[in-house]
Amino acid sequence: MGQPANDLPHSHTHHEHAGESLVVAAARALTTAGEQWTAMRESVFAELAQHERPVSAYDIADNLSAARGKRVAPNSVYRILDVFVANNLAMRVESANAYLANTHPGCAHDCIFLVCDECGEAAHVDDEDVSRSVRAIAAARQFKAERPVLEIRGLCRSCT
């Protein structure tokens, strides 16, 4: 998903959501996209949204299993997370195979992460100029960029 380079706005603002507001915004964005918002999807999203750092599908499954008193399969969580990523409700930190909730669900943009090798923090950065450049590089090679992800590994301010 995402927009072609020429369709990316130069700048835009986001209404950042948190807590219950974030879950409601995610449900609205997913149903607007034509997908179903099920009880299981709500549980997975609510668990994901509780984490400030990237979290794995296994961690989400373990936490939901403990809360529900019955096993939640990681494969089920992975499938739901794939739907969330495809619909801009979540972002995948590829190098960590972990996920973050998108605090402005439904907003199409590319993923640029600053990932700390020490503490695991992954700061998400929106930069339309970088997105436009990455998409232009792909387009110049007749490659249609669907979901660009750029990760910059290093040390965050707290760990330097």
Side-chain angles (χ1 to χ4, degrees):
M1 307 231 20
Q3 301 169 339
N6 295 337
D7 291 346
L8 283 172
H10 181 63
S11 65
H12 59 277
T13 58
H14 303 288
H15 177 72
E16 301 285 331
H17 295 276
E20 186 60 30
S21 166
L22 178 55
V23 175
V24 169
R28 184 174 40 250
L30 194 62
T31 56
T32 298
E35 296 280 353
Q36 291 184 344
W37 184 257
T38 64
M40 184 61 171
R41 286 179 177 182
E42 182 172 356
S43 295
V44 170
F45 188 84
E47 175 63 32
L48 175 65
Q50 290 183 28
H51 298 271
E52 291 183 14
R53 292 205 166 113
V55 62
S56 74
Y58 285 92
D59 291 335
I60 292 170
D62 288 346
N63 293 345
L64 289 177
S65 294
R68 290 176 164 220
K70 65 179 186 176
R71 184 176 181 273
V72 174
N75 285 344
S76 297
V77 174
Y78 270 116
R79 283 192 295 277
I80 291 170
L81 290 169
D82 286 345
V83 170
F84 290 168
V85 169
N87 288 281
N88 294 309
L89 303 184
M91 301 169 289
R92 182 168 184 251
V93 181
E94 305 285 337
S95 63
N97 193 23
Y99 300 83
L100 285 168
N102 182 355
T103 57
H104 38 89
C107 179
H109 55 81
D110 297 334
C111 293
I112 303 169
F113 294 108
L114 305 176
V115 182
C116 182
D117 289 328
E118 186 70 29
C119 71
E121 178 182 32
H124 178 252
V125 178
D126 287 328
D127 189 314
E128 283 81 12
D129 292 334
V130 171
S131 293
R132 195 175 292 107
S133 294
V134 168
R135 287 175 177 275
I137 290 167
R141 288 158 181 81
Q142 289 78 46
F143 185 85
K144 184 177 183 250
E146 292 290 333
R147 192 178 57 86
V149 176
L150 177 63
E151 296 182 21
I152 303 167
R153 306 293 306 216
L155 296 175
C156 68
R157 181 186 321 219
S158 299
C159 292
T160 52

